[in-house]
Amino acid sequence: MKNRRFRLSRQLRTDITGYAFLLPNFAGCLTFTIIPILCSLVFSFTDWEYTRGFGNWNFVGLKNYIDMWTDEWFLASLKNTLLYTASVVPVTILLALILSVLIDKYCIGKLPMRLAMLMPYFSSTVAVAIVWVMMYSSFGPVTQLVKWIGVENPPKWLADYHWALPAVILVTIWSTVGFAMMIYTSAIQGLPTELYEAADIDGASELDKFFKLTVPFLSPTTFYLLITNIISSFQVFTTIQVMTGGGPGNSTSVMVSYIYRSAFGYYKMGYASAMAWILFLMIFLVTLIQWNGQKRWVGY
Amino acid sequence: MKKRMVCSLISVLLAGAMLTGCGGSSASGDGSSSAVKESSDAGGTAKTAAAEENPPEEVTIHFWSGLSDASSQEAQQRLIDAFEEKYKDKGYKVEAESFVNDSNGNLKLEANLLGGDEIDVYVSYSSSTLFKRAEGNLALDLTDLCQRDGFDIESYAGDMMEYFRKDGKAYCLPVSLSKFCMVLNKDMFDAAGIEIPESWTYDEFLEVCKKLTHGEGEDKVYGMFWNTNGGDKSAYAHYMSAKAFGGDYYYKEGGTETNFDDPIWQKTIELINTTMQEGYTPTHADTVTEKLTQESMFLTGRAAMCNGSWVFQSIKDTQTYPHDFVTAFAPFPAVDEEHNTYIRGGYQDLLSINPRSEHIDEAWEFMKFYMNEGALYMADIGRIPASNTYDNEEIAARVLGSDGLFDEQSAASALIDPSGNYAVSTILEKTPQITDVFQEEMEAVWTGNKTVEEGLASAKKRGDEILAKE
């Protein structure tokens, strides 16, 4: 009995020590993440303008959530965000897969090659964006290259309504493909070699091996990349803010940049919070669908 | 934004920041406040050192202004030195802090104002931001202080002050004026035999643009450069139309409807569009994608004119921007002689007191000094004092310097003379949104995706919809 109580209290002390170690982390998370998230939920039901001071608001029910569906800026931003995600994510993942296999099999200087591919991922997004702004300018290499190929009037890229979004998408793919490739590479190196040997004995072609062995074996990696890339694409902000500021017109305006503009340009904190929650719900929903859908195609 | 995966990472980082950054003081949680803290602490040590020889209790006034470049800060420091010298016996000290006058910088300022008594005096740069701040109790009502000291703002700054009062109450002291104008390369005007205009119409302006444009390719000299610096990429359009419309250049009487169907808008946008399509100015696409500036176009002699006197400090900075031509100034052109009514501009720097300040009296002394005595030093960087307590000639001499960079005659009338019928905004209903709509539609026009009529019609429709929403 005595012995048991002693053990209990030691258990308790261990617990307390553990929680004490968690506390700084948890306190930070609570103060800077959980409480602000809950606040934004409250704001989203109000008409708060932040210069009016904290607490000086009226509750307007679901008005913010209804208004946004007739707001052309919101709709354009939503459309651009979806377009952006739908092009960045599949292209990045596909390209990363192909590149990682090619480099793994056929490249001589593997390490320098991989490092070079990874460089843009390490670099500051703002710096990358500014360099690309120069690349796209009318005296920049991109425009000159297009001219050299034989196009007489190359588009004005970032100032063109149709080309601005693709131009930004290209930059994002370029800067994130290296990271996805590294993840694939490490997964490829862990693949069981005996299966490939067996396939060789059975006379399978390289393509067969790629589609029937490599792709299925890499499905958990693909799943991971899909989820993280979709989330980060929905939240794109920096690249677009620096390169186009959402222009020309609203052709590259995305959800996060419009949320930012509503909150700090128009002072409409309540409306911006409501849009942030819609963005959150969208990401949450997409992730949930993927999570449930993984059983069908992801093999561990 | 609300990613669980990132949550833990962020909290680790923030917890780290808390452990290292929190010095037990009442930091407001904004990253910037720690920087402020540091600088004020640095001021604190200087204070104690000085206090040993100077018994009167020292009071430090924390002053936030939006001056970002070194020469402006130096001019401001001369002002502060003069103030400290004058109030030496009272032990007043001023600690200056800079914020960048853009949306982020103003947000940082407001976060600090909301956070407590970090700031005593600060500068707002437009009546709309000032009124927002007054509404949010971020600016002190100065009425009592004025009455106590018999300080009549209007007697110094003129009747324009009326428009900078909210419900009759003063929340600011205006310390400087700005007059928006065109900046001209006088040498090019002389070479083409064109006189520096004292007033001109759109037609005359277009003619001048045409005459001054010459050359091809790399050597091309443009007649005009439309400066898109800053957030509002089509601002030059309303600098022009405000000559006719006044300060409420987007609105019809009453502010419930936009005025983009007005023929004056049609003429203004057509004029600008013509300068772009005819090649008298760089195209909008080039201006935006190559991030052309007044410095890179006007001061290098690649454009004979540009809009906005903001380039002033760069003109004086001949080390960074070497050039050997004389700069002249002219008012913005007007649609015709009949509609040459207003001058765009007005009070520029608006000083306010933080209502949470613990040194309101001292802050008030500083503001009065700045307005009526200190603004002289700010003339060195081209800021014209708003108060009439100065000698115009002395101000002109300080503004223009002695290096012969400016044409004194045109500068005196178009830039320095503080008199004029200023276009002051009185309707501020949804201005940021309407500005964005206007800018988007004009961008479509400049890039040839819409005609002038279509762009304005669409701006009118969208602007009215925004005004109709509550």
Side-chain angles (χ1 to χ4, degrees):
Chain A
M1 192 65 187
K2 194 183 173 189
N3 194 17
R4 199 176 157 225
R5 195 189 289 160
F6 174 68
R7 250 193 291 162
L8 243 183
S9 78
R10 197 171 68 172
Q11 178 64 44
L12 202 64
R13 264 191 293 162
T14 319
D15 285 356
I16 289 172
T17 318
Y19 284 122
F21 271 112
L22 279 178
L23 187 66
N25 193 329
F26 180 70
C29 185
L30 191 74
T31 328
F32 296 108
T33 311
I34 298 172
I35 292 176
I37 287 176
L38 292 178
C39 285
S40 83
L41 185 63
V42 176
F43 298 160
S44 73
F45 296 106
T46 69
D47 62 353
W48 189 38
E49 296 185 15
Y50 79 88
T51 48
R52 278 197 246 143
F54 195 81
N56 196 353
W57 56 57
N58 305 307
F59 281 92
V60 291
L62 288 170
K63 186 174 175 297
N64 290 330
Y65 287 92
I66 296 164
D67 279 357
M68 66 179 80
W69 303 103
T70 52
D71 178 347
E72 57 171 323
W73 277 320
F74 173 76
L75 295 176
S77 308
L78 180 65
K79 192 191 95 194
N80 290 333
T81 307
L82 294 177
L83 261 175
Y84 178 90
T85 307
S87 19
V88 165
V89 176
V91 177
T92 308
I93 292 181
L94 201 69
L95 213 61
L97 179 63
I98 295 170
L99 281 171
S100 60
V101 172
L102 286 182
I103 292 178
D104 191 60
K105 276 202 158 36
Y106 304 108
C107 200
I108 302 169
K110 282 183 188 149
L111 190 66
M113 193 71 187
R114 282 178 190 143
L115 281 180
M117 304 277 310
L118 203 52
M119 277 307 282
Y121 187 78
F122 290 137
S123 314
S124 145
T125 326
V126 175
V128 165
I130 287 174
V131 169
W132 273 94
V133 167
M134 293 175 202
M135 300 267 282
Y136 281 126
S137 81
S138 55
F139 300 104
V142 175
T143 314
Q144 294 304 319
L145 187 76
V146 172
K147 264 190 193 164
W148 182 73
I149 292 171
V151 181
E152 264 181 38
N153 277 317
K156 294 280 184 185
W157 305 116
L158 298 178
D160 188 297
Y161 280 74
H162 307 292
W163 284 102
L165 191 61
V168 176
I169 287 172
L170 186 73
V171 175
T172 312
I173 294 173
W174 174 80
S175 61
T176 51
V177 77
F179 177 70
M181 194 200 69
M182 280 311 269
I183 303 276
Y184 269 131
T185 304
S186 57
I188 285 173
Q189 283 164 351
L191 291 183
T193 45
E194 61 270 19
L195 283 171
Y196 284 87
E197 283 161 12
D200 280 337
I201 293 166
D202 289 343
S205 70
E206 287 294 320
L207 272 182
D208 276 340
K209 279 192 282 180
F210 177 73
F211 283 113
K212 302 216 165 113
L213 288 176
T214 311
V215 173
F217 271 125
L218 290 178
S219 60
T221 314
T222 312
F223 178 63
Y224 162 75
L225 287 173
L226 206 59
I227 288 196
T228 50
N229 270 317
I230 286 183
I231 292 175
S232 62
S233 295
F234 269 116
Q235 297 176 339
V236 58
F237 177 68
T238 319
T239 319
I240 286 189
Q241 196 67 15
V242 175
M243 289 184 71
T244 64
N250 52 28
S251 62
T252 57
S253 168
V254 286
M255 281 182 77
V256 181
S257 54
Y258 185 50
I259 291 171
Y260 178 82
R261 188 154 62 126
S262 300
F264 303 117
Y266 310 149
Y267 305 100
K268 286 154 74 179
M269 202 52 98
Y271 187 55
S273 297
M275 288 192 290
W277 273 90
I278 291 294
L279 177 64
F280 166 68
L281 287 177
M282 276 168 48
I283 295 175
F284 188 70
L285 209 68
V286 170
T287 312
L288 210 63
I289 291 171
Q290 289 194 82
W291 201 263
N292 290 324
Q294 64 164 319
K295 291 175 207 117
R296 292 165 188 273
W297 63 278
V298 180
Y300 290 100
Chain B
M1 204 167 294
K2 296 158 190 92
K3 244 188 320 182
R4 251 180 246 163
M5 308 176 72
V6 176
C7 164
S8 59
L9 178 67
I10 291 174
S11 46
V12 169
L13 290 174
L14 288 174
M18 274 169 60
L19 290 172
T20 53
C22 196
S25 55
S26 59
S28 64
D30 179 20
S32 57
S33 67
S34 63
V36 178
K37 205 91 206 163
E38 265 166 42
S39 61
S40 63
D41 282 346
T45 41
K47 207 162 63 177
T48 39
E52 276 164 25
E53 30 186 288
N54 207 0
E57 210 179 311
E58 286 196 0
V59 177
T60 304
I61 302 162
H62 294 277
F63 173 49
W64 277 48
S65 66
L67 302 172
S68 42
D69 64 303
S71 59
S72 306
Q73 283 168 1
E74 279 163 23
Q76 182 176 281
Q77 194 54 48
R78 287 196 284 279
L79 183 159
I80 290 171
D81 290 345
F83 172 75
E84 288 178 350
E85 180 61 32
K86 184 175 174 188
Y87 288 91
K88 205 162 50 176
D89 53 326
K90 291 190 177 169
Y92 292 173
K93 293 274 168 200
V94 178
E95 283 288 335
E97 193 73 45
S98 288
F99 63 95
V100 183
N101 181 27
D102 61 9
S103 55
N104 280 337
N106 280 298
L107 179 66
K108 182 176 151 186
L109 170 69
E110 279 157 15
N112 273 285
L113 287 171
L114 279 167
D117 56 359
E118 230 27 276
I119 302 168
D120 299 305
V121 182
Y122 65 91
V123 188
S124 300
Y125 291 93
S126 71
S127 56
S128 58
T129 47
L130 173 72
F131 292 165
K132 282 265 179 204
R133 286 165 186 172
E135 255 173 55
N137 194 28
L138 301 179
L140 186 76
D141 176 10
L142 304 174
T143 315
D144 290 346
L145 288 167
C146 286
Q147 268 173 1
R148 186 192 72 189
D149 296 0
F151 191 88
D152 179 14
I153 304 174
E154 266 84 348
S155 73
Y156 299 112
D159 293 338
M160 208 196 326
M161 185 61 202
E162 183 192 331
Y163 300 104
F164 289 78
R165 288 173 178 270
K166 191 170 166 53
D167 308 323
K169 292 176 186 160
Y171 290 92
C172 72
L173 289 188
V175 295
S176 72
L177 265 174
S178 78
K179 232 173 173 178
F180 294 9
C181 58
M182 299 285 250
V183 186
L184 320 175
N185 184 322
K186 188 166 184 292
D187 293 17
M188 289 189 187
F189 271 70
D190 289 348
I194 307 168
E195 270 188 43
I196 301 296
E198 277 172 26
S199 76
W200 43 352
T201 62
Y202 286 181
D203 293 340
E204 287 162 349
F205 169 73
L206 194 64
E207 196 56 34
V208 171
C209 284
K210 194 176 174 181
K211 275 188 194 161
L212 291 173
T213 304
H214 58 81
E216 273 306 319
E218 295 282 292
D219 299 325
K220 178 155 184 173
V221 174
Y222 294 98
M224 174 69 196
F225 168 64
W226 296 113
N227 166 36
T228 56
N229 284 8
D232 183 357
K233 280 188 277 182
S234 295
Y236 43 82
H238 57 73
Y239 297 160
M240 310 260 279
S241 69
K243 293 285 287 189
F245 291 132
D248 299 319
Y249 41 84
Y250 287 148
Y251 306 92
K252 288 193 176 163
E253 200 74 39
T256 52
E257 202 187 324
T258 57
N259 65 352
F260 296 122
D261 53 351
D262 195 297
I264 291 173
W265 268 121
Q266 172 83 19
K267 282 180 189 157
T268 307
I269 303 309
E270 255 168 22
L271 169 78
I272 297 169
N273 200 36
T274 310
T275 62
M276 291 183 183
Q277 309 309 331
E278 298 288 321
Y280 305 152
T281 76
T283 61
H284 180 80
D286 284 345
T287 305
V288 173
T289 53
E290 283 162 46
K291 302 203 187 294
L292 301 179
T293 60
Q294 290 170 301
E295 285 79 7
S296 72
M297 293 303 295
F298 178 75
L299 288 183
T300 54
R302 289 175 63 202
M305 301 185 270
C306 65
N307 60 293
S309 44
W310 305 276
V311 68
F312 190 85
Q313 277 157 256
S314 301
I315 301 176
K316 274 185 134 182
D317 183 1
T318 45
Q319 278 197 311
T320 319
Y321 307 104
H323 60 282
D324 53 10
F325 59 82
V326 174
T327 303
F329 300 89
F332 275 94
V335 60
D336 49 41
E337 269 146 34
E338 255 174 77
H339 291 97
N340 194 358
T341 319
Y342 296 95
I343 298 167
R344 192 67 195 281
Y347 298 147
Q348 186 178 19
D349 301 80
L350 309 170
L351 259 53
S352 301
I353 299 181
N354 179 4
R356 295 165 188 78
S357 163
E358 287 172 5
H359 306 296
I360 288 177
D361 287 334
E362 293 82 358
W364 173 240
E365 289 303 323
F366 175 61
M367 282 174 33
K368 285 191 296 184
F369 174 85
Y370 192 142
M371 181 175 178
N372 285 346
E373 295 164 54
L376 180 71
Y377 299 96
M378 300 303 279
D380 293 347
I381 55 160
R383 277 177 149 71
I384 319 297
S387 170
N388 56 11
T389 51
Y390 303 92
D391 173 30
N392 270 358
E393 272 175 36
E394 192 186 351
I395 294 299
R398 274 191 174 257
V399 168
L400 300 176
S402 55
D403 303 333
L405 290 166
F406 300 98
D407 172 49
E408 284 178 21
Q409 198 190 341
S410 67
S413 66
L415 184 76
I416 300 172
D417 177 13
S419 64
N421 184 15
Y422 287 92
V424 187
S425 302
T426 56
I427 306 171
L428 304 166
E429 197 59 35
K430 306 248 169 61
T431 308
Q433 284 95 323
I434 295 173
T435 303
D436 283 350
V437 162
F438 177 68
Q439 186 182 303
E440 282 177 17
E441 294 300 335
M442 290 312 110
E443 201 157 37
V445 174
W446 312 145
T447 50
N449 287 285
K450 281 185 183 167
T451 65
V452 175
E453 290 79 14
E454 285 166 357
L456 284 170
S458 174
K460 162 92 180 142
K461 186 169 152 283
R462 292 174 62 192
D464 287 354
E465 277 169 14
I466 286 173
L467 283 176
K469 273 192 204 168
E470 47 148 332

